[in-house]
Amino acid sequence: MSEQKTGVLQGFKAFLMRGNVVDLAVAVVIGAAFTNIVNSIVKGIINPVVGAIGTKNLDSYYSCVKEPCTGTGDSATGVRILWGSVLGATLTFVITAAVVYFLMVLPMAKYLAKVEARRKTKEGTREIIEVTELEVLKEIRDALVAQRGNGHGQR
């Protein structure tokens, strides 16, 4: 049984030491910090803009399904559909997706396209050089054959 325990612990250690787990941990930490930034943008910019039209806090928007809808928080009565919080979460998602796309995905895609174009250019140049070298070697061969032919004819 201790051999099985040792095997499990070694497997767990191997799992933790993989690069993917470390990358995932870094992504989670960065994601958590990024979430705070997006939430601050929504609370500090988006909610006040919406507040200029109505209430500053989107969470206060709701529709009453079953009366009476009075009070707030734990003392609230009635059945409410809290569509304001859904709208706030949707705005947060859209802002997060836009920031990730425009600040991370798009620049990385452009960078990778440039790298790929450089690689293809180098490969194309290498092919041209190889073809040119081959042609030169063929010309040298043909010239040597021609010289031999001329030399055989003179003897």
Side-chain angles (χ1 to χ4, degrees):
M1 187 150 149
S2 68
E3 290 176 17
Q4 186 179 13
K5 231 180 191 181
T6 305
V8 170
L9 289 177
Q10 287 176 346
F12 183 66
K13 181 181 175 187
F15 170 73
L16 289 178
M17 299 312 281
R18 272 195 231 160
N20 295 346
V21 174
V22 174
D23 292 342
L24 182 61
V26 169
V28 167
V29 170
I30 295 296
F34 187 69
T35 299
N36 288 336
I37 292 171
V38 171
N39 286 338
S40 296
I41 290 171
V42 169
K43 288 180 182 174
I45 298 172
I46 303 298
N47 284 351
V49 169
V50 172
I53 300 168
T55 307
K56 187 175 180 181
N57 186 1
L58 288 177
D59 293 337
S60 65
Y61 288 106
Y62 67 90
S63 295
C64 188
V65 176
K66 185 177 179 186
E67 297 289 338
C69 289
T70 58
T72 57
D74 293 336
S75 65
T77 60
V79 178
R80 301 173 188 208
I81 295 177
L82 304 173
W83 58 269
S85 24
V86 173
L87 179 62
T90 303
L91 286 173
T92 300
F93 172 77
V94 169
I95 291 169
T96 303
V99 169
V100 167
Y101 180 76
F102 289 112
L103 294 182
M104 295 177 192
V105 173
L106 195 60
M108 184 57 78
K110 287 182 180 180
Y111 171 75
L112 292 175
K114 285 181 183 178
V115 168
E116 183 66 19
R118 285 186 199 140
R119 186 187 64 79
K120 285 184 179 180
T121 303
K122 284 182 182 179
E123 284 181 5
T125 304
R126 190 176 304 135
E127 287 175 9
I128 291 170
I129 291 171
E130 288 174 4
V131 168
T132 305
E133 288 176 358
L134 185 59
E135 289 175 2
V136 168
L137 289 173
K138 284 180 182 178
E139 289 175 9
I140 292 171
R141 179 199 64 199
D142 293 343
L144 289 172
V145 168
Q147 281 180 353
R148 270 193 214 154
N150 292 340
H152 288 299
Q154 291 175 352
R155 285 187 184 169

